[in-house]
Amino acid sequence: KYIEGAERTLDDLFLTIPPQQLLWLTILGGFAMLTLAFIATGSLLVGAVGAVPGAVAPRLALKVMKQKRLKKFNEQLVEAMVTMTNALRSGVALPKAFQIVAHDMPKPICQEFGILVQEMRLGMDVEEAMESLLERMPGQDLELVVTSVGISNSVGGNLAEVFERLAETIRERYRIEGRIDALTAQGRMQGILVSILPIFVGV
């Protein structure tokens, strides 16, 4: 079960590391931390507790990498929508616009759109392929794109204009979120310091 889960995560990250090696790394990390904690304290119980972080660290590192990759994908999505808007306005069909994104844009969005294009070549329609993309890279912004494509295919409409408005909306939301983070940074830092202070006082 561990190897199957690790294999899915590694595939999502486009890493060619064998999942068995990740399993051995988990065992080795746990054993190494157990040994170090036991040598430092002489207590087997402390060593067993110390083994937990060593065993969890490899999967935790993969989870962090996956979250960073998803965040970067969402940041690149606005530029991808602008690219698709320009392509659609130049008379290119939507599948070809996907190919342009897969060919011209950097990782990770080019990798995911490359899979999207391949799935369409294998017989999936646009909506199914985009739903598959949403399963791999879940996010509110991409969900809006998938929904807009589905509505456009069902009832028609100017998809280029829809993409342009979505890109503007998402870009504006990022700007507002960044301003909110900047305005609340001092308060959040004060909250963290006040929360940690009792621990230092206790020590």
Side-chain angles (χ1 to χ4, degrees):
K1 184 177 179 180
Y2 181 91
I3 291 176
E4 288 176 357
E7 187 173 9
R8 286 194 297 269
T9 304
L10 291 170
D11 288 343
D12 290 342
L13 292 172
F14 284 79
L15 295 177
T16 56
I17 303 172
Q20 291 83 359
Q21 289 188 9
L22 187 66
L23 176 60
W24 285 113
L25 185 62
T26 299
I27 296 172
L28 180 62
F31 182 75
M33 290 299 295
L34 185 150
T35 304
L36 290 174
F38 178 72
I39 292 173
T41 63
S43 172
L44 187 60
L45 179 61
V46 175
V49 173
V52 175
V56 172
R59 287 299 296 270
L60 183 61
L62 284 180
K63 186 176 181 180
V64 171
M65 291 171 62
K66 188 173 182 179
Q67 290 297 325
K68 289 178 65 177
R69 186 172 184 272
L70 180 59
K71 182 180 179 181
K72 190 173 182 180
F73 175 90
N74 288 327
E75 290 173 352
Q76 294 174 336
L77 185 60
V78 174
E79 186 63 30
M81 293 174 67
V82 173
T83 300
M84 290 189 292
T85 298
N86 295 333
L88 292 171
R89 284 179 172 167
S90 66
V92 172
L94 185 59
K96 182 63 177 177
F98 292 155
Q99 292 181 24
I100 294 173
V101 173
H103 184 267
D104 294 343
M105 292 199 65
K107 298 177 182 179
I109 199 165
C110 67
Q111 296 170 326
E112 295 299 334
F113 271 77
I115 295 175
L116 172 68
V117 171
Q118 290 296 328
E119 288 178 340
M120 292 172 62
R121 286 176 179 172
L122 292 174
M124 277 190 180
D125 59 30
V126 175
E127 292 183 39
E128 289 178 343
M130 294 206 70
E131 288 289 345
S132 177
L133 174 61
L134 183 60
E135 289 180 6
R136 295 193 305 272
M137 307 297 288
Q140 295 180 351
D141 299 336
L142 183 59
E143 187 174 359
L144 288 174
V145 176
V146 173
T147 303
S148 64
V149 171
I151 293 174
S152 177
N153 288 339
S154 300
V155 301
N158 190 341
L159 194 56
E161 185 176 348
V162 173
F163 280 170
E164 184 178 25
R165 290 182 179 179
L166 281 176
E168 291 176 357
T169 302
I170 295 170
R171 190 182 291 113
E172 182 66 13
R173 181 167 61 80
Y174 281 157
R175 188 188 69 80
I176 294 173
E177 288 177 352
R179 182 162 179 77
I180 292 172
D181 289 340
L183 292 173
T184 59
Q186 183 177 356
R188 286 185 282 113
M189 183 58 66
Q190 289 175 347
I192 293 172
L193 291 176
V194 171
S195 300
I196 295 175
L197 187 60
I199 299 174
F200 284 103
V201 173
V203 172

